[in-house]
Amino acid sequence: QVQLVESGGGLVQPGGSLRLSCSASGFTFSNYAMSWYRQAPGKERELVAIIGSAGSAGTTTYADSVKGRFTISRDNAKNLVHLQMSSLKPEDTAVYYCKVRLWSSTYWGQGTQVTVSS
């Protein structure tokens, strides 16, 4: 049974940092690309970052809006994927979700709230 559990969200001031984590289970973690999405109130869910599988040397891709501020990484030994977020802006406020696509099925975590506000 595939499970994705996010953690690390919270309230942070503009310019601050947060590190999100996603703990994965139920599949061979290192074999699959992992991604982070976010959904702000009243907006569609959008891709934030992707990290490739171990076989692709963990290639990373970022949305233009977070390039240079966010870093995605993975720990294949612990089945974890992280999103280090720096220089946070109020427009980064959203629920952040971890996602994996296994063949024809897509799995999401429950999400973790990030609020950037003074």
Side-chain angles (χ1 to χ4, degrees), residues 60-71:
T60 57
T61 304
Y62 297 93
D64 287 344
S65 59
V66 307
K67 278 181 183 176
R69 300 189 299 121
F70 290 12
T71 301

Side-chain angles (χ1 to χ4, degrees), residues 8-9 16-17 23 25 28 40 53 60-61 65 72 76 94 101 107 110 113:
S17 299
S23 178
S25 61
T28 306
S53 67
T60 57
T61 304
S65 59
I72 188 171
N76 291 324
R101 183 172 174 84
Y107 298 88
Q110 83 288 350
Q113 175 71 47

Side-chain angles (χ1 to χ4, degrees), residues 16-79:
S17 299
L18 275 178
R19 188 193 196 206
L20 306 183
S21 296
C22 172
S23 178
S25 61
F27 62 101
T28 306
F29 178 77
S30 61
N31 287 359
Y32 295 92
M34 299 294 299
S35 53
W36 284 96
Y37 282 71
R38 66 186 181 186
Q39 187 166 19
K43 295 188 176 181
E44 292 188 355
R45 195 169 296 189
E46 64 174 358
L47 175 66
V48 175
I50 304 172
I51 186 164
S53 67
S56 67
T59 303
T60 57
T61 304
Y62 297 93
D64 287 344
S65 59
V66 307
K67 278 181 183 176
R69 300 189 299 121
F70 290 12
T71 301
I72 188 171
S73 63
R74 65 190 299 160
D75 183 339
N76 291 324
K78 296 181 179 179
N79 287 10

Side-chain angles (χ1 to χ4, degrees), residues 38-41 46 90-96 112-116:
R38 66 186 181 186
Q39 187 166 19
E46 64 174 358
E91 51 263 42
D92 294 318
T93 295
V95 178
Y96 284 71
T112 185
Q113 175 71 47
V114 172
T115 303
V116 184

